[in-house]
Amino acid sequence: MERLKVILIDDETLIRKLLRMKIDWEALGMEVVTEFSSSKKALEEVQEWNPDIIITDICMPGIDGIEFSETCINLMPKVKIIILTGHDEFNYAMRSIKIGVSDYILKPIKAEVITQTLWKTREKIEKEKNYQVEYEKLAAQIEENLPLFQEGYLNQVLLEPVTSEVFSRKMKFYQVDIHPNAQEIQVALVEMNQVNKENIGNEEDQNEMILHMKARKLIEEFFSGDAYILFCRDGFGRIVIMSNNPDLPLNECLELLRKMLITRLKCYISIGVSCKKEDYSQISTAYKEAVEALNYKMVEGENCIIYYGDLATSTSYLSVEQEKIWKEIKIYVSAGRKEEAEKSVQRLWEHFIRDKYKSTQQTPHLLIEIISWCFNEAIKNDLPIQKQFSKKLCQVYEDPIEMVAFRDEILKYIGMLTTEIAAKDEKKNSSLVQGILNYMLQNLSSPELSMNQVADQFYISAGYLGRLLKKNTGKTYGEYLSEIRFQKAKDLLITTELKAYEIGEAIGICDPHYLSIWFKKMSGDSLSEFRRKGKVQKMKVY
């Protein structure tokens, strides 16, 4: 047990002697290191002694116990102070608690009371020290694992948009340097593939891991002289480079980097590059652009750099009508409307089949664009099927595809994505509807329970709320609200003796006249008739 240092302060010598003699300091694991007859003198030397506990009288000449305690706590925040006070000074002593005094003891002094107080104070000190030790351990672990936390957060930002303010604050916490003035951001995605994959199973996985580790080290070394460059690995093991340096010619750097990696690692290197974005809130958009650009390596081949900006005209071969249909497909898929999406896919295929030669030439391009878009939507919605789209992208050029098979492939993957999005939306909407219904029940007494007010509570439009309720309850908002108010009114009439106006207040209808008309319309009976019939029915049951 660690020995704690105690200082005694009292202008009466007898009190100090009694404290020394009556208390078994050794049993408490404490030692009285010094004592003072003056609080002024104590203040001059207290920091030199660095005590754990100070016992001081409240009334002393010059500086009283409370003033002394306040000054002492400011000098040594961890010290525990126990004040000795008489009954007539009790209210005065209570003020000491507000300034942080640990405890107080009433005179006349009793050894057992002081001993109990000192034990309690010791427990406080040990608890705080243990907490401090645990805190320091956790702080050390955080410091040690900071790179992992940085990596995890950057991965999160790739998939979920955040505000520039939040990103800046998080980067400061993770000790990552970002540009002090510019928020411009550009994302590059580096993918490595072994030239020869003769090994199988665990050995191949191990070789790929080693390749990624070597590539990550070389990339970080390559940019080591450049400020404001961030790195992480995405969910597919690809290396993400985020440039926050507006003065760095990233495109030129990537070309040199690609050549260096190919030479040093003897592997295939493909890089997808986003357009430059104005601020950190667009990092996830930039990442999606880099992913889409990288997907086009199937067209460009291995060992290439693809810039998203160069893909802007990739669908220029589509006619105005075909482009319109493709946009319809995207809308239907995003809305989870599988039947309409599949019909639009069929229409697009019919347009392409009219020109067999042209469609045969453009089939791989369109298939890549559609699968790539599905892949990005799966990432955005955090769907597990994203890996299936990624795998399919790698097979587009490996297996030639006929036109009928082309249509079936599009229908398959569009249908798969639409089904997953619809299921996710259904689950989300089910939870939202339940929350809305619970809110309406809990706030039934509010006369302001309008559809607009409820919609505002859930940050949705009134129109959307109305459609959700209609779909899930079969009733409009007004119909559902009337129904639950009616059920509540009936229950209160039968089970309580509340007056009509009290029932009206409980269900949010405060106008007694309107309440009577409304209830008569809903039940066919007046309030009093319904209550009387309810009581009669209740008596028959018993």
Side-chain angles (χ1 to χ4, degrees):
M1 186 165 60
E2 182 186 357
R3 190 173 291 274
L4 302 181
K5 294 184 288 185
V6 181
I7 288 179
L8 305 178
I9 305 172
D10 200 300
D11 59 337
E12 294 185 33
T13 305
L14 182 60
I15 296 294
R16 300 199 304 273
K17 284 186 177 180
L18 285 172
L19 286 171
R20 279 182 177 274
M21 294 169 57
K22 284 192 172 185
I23 306 301
D24 188 347
W25 297 102
E26 188 172 348
L28 288 167
M30 299 178 186
E31 175 188 5
V32 178
V33 292
T34 189
E35 60 183 58
F36 295 95
S37 60
S38 160
S39 52
K40 182 179 180 182
K41 181 66 175 175
L43 275 179
E44 293 174 0
E45 300 182 21
V46 70
Q47 284 182 281
E48 296 176 16
W49 291 99
N50 191 27
D52 299 292
I53 300 172
I54 295 174
I55 301 177
T56 179
D57 190 12
I58 196 169
C59 284
M60 287 186 294
I63 303 174
D64 66 23
I66 292 181
E67 186 179 351
F68 165 80
S69 299
E70 187 170 12
T71 305
C72 206
I73 290 170
N74 288 333
L75 292 172
M76 300 179 297
K78 293 183 180 179
V79 72
K80 303 300 177 192
I81 298 178
I82 300 171
I83 282 185
L84 303 177
T85 179
H87 284 278
D88 57 340
E89 302 159 339
F90 179 73
N91 291 333
Y92 184 48
M94 289 300 292
R95 286 174 46 202
S96 66
I97 303 300
K98 294 182 179 179
I99 64 169
V101 167
S102 179
D103 217 327
Y104 61 89
I105 298 173
L106 291 175
K107 295 178 182 178
I109 298 170
K110 294 181 181 179
E112 60 272 22
V113 174
I114 295 179
T115 300
Q116 289 174 4
T117 304
L118 287 169
W119 267 119
K120 187 168 66 172
T121 304
R122 180 180 187 89
E123 288 173 355
K124 285 183 185 177
I125 292 172
E126 289 178 345
K127 186 175 181 180
E128 288 177 5
K129 286 184 176 180
N130 290 336
Y131 174 82
Q132 183 64 27
V133 169
E134 290 300 317
Y135 176 82
E136 289 173 358
K137 284 182 181 178
L138 288 173
Q141 288 177 5
I142 290 173
E143 186 71 26
E144 183 181 345
N145 294 289
L146 204 56
L148 292 176
F149 293 131
Q150 294 169 359
E151 186 97 359
Y153 179 70
L154 289 175
N155 257 277
Q156 178 185 335
V157 171
L158 294 178
L159 303 178
E160 301 173 8
V162 296
T163 64
S164 295
E165 292 76 17
V166 169
F167 182 78
S168 299
R169 187 178 74 247
K170 289 284 189 179
M171 289 298 95
K172 183 177 180 181
F173 174 76
Y174 290 126
Q175 301 176 22
V176 177
D177 290 333
I178 55 177
H179 200 285
N181 302 314
Q183 293 189 4
E184 184 177 289
I185 201 85
Q186 188 173 15
V187 174
L189 195 58
V190 183
E191 184 176 79
M192 294 75 62
N193 286 302
Q194 299 179 67
V195 175
N196 297 312
K197 291 190 177 182
E198 298 176 354
N199 301 315
I200 58 172
N202 294 335
E203 190 174 347
E204 181 184 343
D205 293 337
Q206 182 177 329
N207 289 339
E208 285 187 1
M209 188 178 296
I210 293 171
L211 176 64
H212 284 120
M213 290 173 66
K214 287 181 176 178
R216 172 73 175 263
K217 183 178 180 182
L218 288 172
I219 290 171
E220 291 187 2
E221 288 176 355
F222 180 86
F223 286 102
S224 61
D226 301 301
Y228 316 126
I229 307 294
L230 287 63
F231 307 95
C232 70
R233 285 181 63 188
D234 72 358
F236 296 90
R238 300 170 297 201
I239 297 172
V240 181
I241 303 169
M242 287 179 261
S243 173
N244 177 223
N245 191 335
D247 299 321
L248 180 73
L250 184 62
N251 294 353
E252 289 84 346
C253 290
L254 291 173
E255 183 56 45
L256 294 173
L257 175 67
R258 182 185 67 85
K259 291 177 181 177
M260 183 268 285
L261 291 175
I262 292 171
T263 302
R264 298 279 294 274
L265 299 177
K266 310 298 182 187
C267 67
Y268 294 126
I269 297 293
S270 300
I271 305 176
V273 188
S274 76
C275 297
K276 290 183 179 180
K277 302 300 176 184
E278 294 181 357
D279 57 68
Y280 304 136
S281 65
Q282 296 177 288
I283 291 175
S284 61
T285 302
Y287 172 67
K288 290 182 179 70
E289 289 183 358
V291 169
E292 190 165 339
L294 187 60
N295 289 339
Y296 272 82
K297 73 175 185 178
M298 304 305 167
V299 177
E300 302 293 336
E302 299 281 7
N303 289 336
C304 60
I305 299 179
I306 307 108
Y307 299 96
Y308 183 80
D310 295 340
L311 303 180
T313 58
S314 63
T315 58
S316 59
Y317 59 86
L318 292 179
S319 67
V320 174
E321 184 61 28
Q322 291 166 354
E323 187 69 42
K324 181 180 177 182
I325 296 171
W326 174 223
K327 287 180 180 178
E328 285 179 6
I329 294 172
K330 290 181 177 181
I331 292 170
Y332 288 137
V333 171
S334 299
R337 296 165 63 177
K338 184 178 178 182
E339 186 177 346
E340 290 93 333
E342 290 178 340
K343 286 180 180 177
S344 294
V345 168
Q346 178 67 25
R347 285 170 55 212
L348 185 62
W349 179 78
E350 289 171 358
H351 274 270
F352 268 79
I353 205 68
R354 291 172 193 167
D355 188 345
K356 186 174 182 180
Y357 172 76
K358 182 177 180 181
S359 60
T360 301
Q361 299 299 313
Q362 303 298 349
T363 294
H365 292 272
L366 182 61
L367 189 55
I368 286 173
E369 177 159 345
I370 291 174
I371 302 298
S372 180
W373 181 81
C374 289
F375 179 47
N376 286 333
E377 287 297 298
I379 290 175
K380 184 172 74 175
N381 289 278
D382 193 26
L383 303 176
I385 58 172
Q386 55 187 268
K387 291 186 178 180
Q388 292 174 250
F389 295 126
S390 178
K391 184 178 179 181
K392 179 60 185 175
L393 281 167
C394 297
Q395 300 171 346
V396 172
Y397 269 85
E398 291 179 6
D399 305 314
I401 189 166
E402 298 296 329
M403 282 302 294
V404 174
F406 164 70
R407 179 199 61 183
D408 294 341
E409 285 287 289
I410 296 177
L411 284 170
K412 174 184 174 181
Y413 287 99
I414 288 291
M416 187 189 306
L417 177 62
T418 312
T419 300
E420 289 288 327
I421 289 177
K424 184 177 180 180
D425 287 346
E426 184 67 29
K427 185 177 179 180
K428 179 182 175 183
N429 287 340
S430 176
S431 176
L432 177 60
V433 168
Q434 192 57 53
I436 290 169
L437 299 184
N438 289 339
Y439 179 84
M440 291 174 70
L441 283 170
Q442 292 165 8
N443 294 274
L444 204 57
S445 61
S446 172
E448 307 299 325
L449 198 63
S450 66
M451 185 159 64
N452 285 328
Q453 188 266 332
V454 176
D456 287 344
Q457 288 291 322
F458 290 87
Y459 303 100
I460 58 177
S461 69
Y464 182 56
L465 185 149
R467 290 193 296 274
L468 278 178
L469 283 187
K470 185 70 175 176
K471 180 180 178 181
N472 287 271
T473 68
K475 298 178 176 64
T476 65
Y477 178 86
E479 290 170 344
Y480 185 79
L481 180 58
S482 286
E483 181 178 298
I484 59 176
R485 279 178 166 162
F486 181 54
Q487 292 299 329
K488 180 71 172 179
K490 290 194 297 182
D491 182 59
L492 293 174
L493 281 167
I494 295 173
T495 61
T496 74
E497 295 299 325
L498 291 175
K499 295 181 173 58
Y501 78 88
E502 292 175 316
I503 291 174
E505 290 175 351
I507 65 171
I509 302 177
C510 299
D511 184 340
H513 181 66
Y514 176 72
L515 175 66
S516 299
I517 296 172
W518 171 80
F519 191 84
K520 180 81 172 178
K521 182 180 178 182
M522 293 291 291
S523 67
D525 293 320
S526 67
L527 291 160
S528 57
E529 288 172 340
F530 186 89
R531 173 170 274 169
R532 181 177 54 78
K533 289 180 179 179
K535 287 183 177 180
V536 170
Q537 186 65 32
K538 193 174 182 181
M539 290 173 65
K540 287 181 179 178
V541 171
Y542 287 107

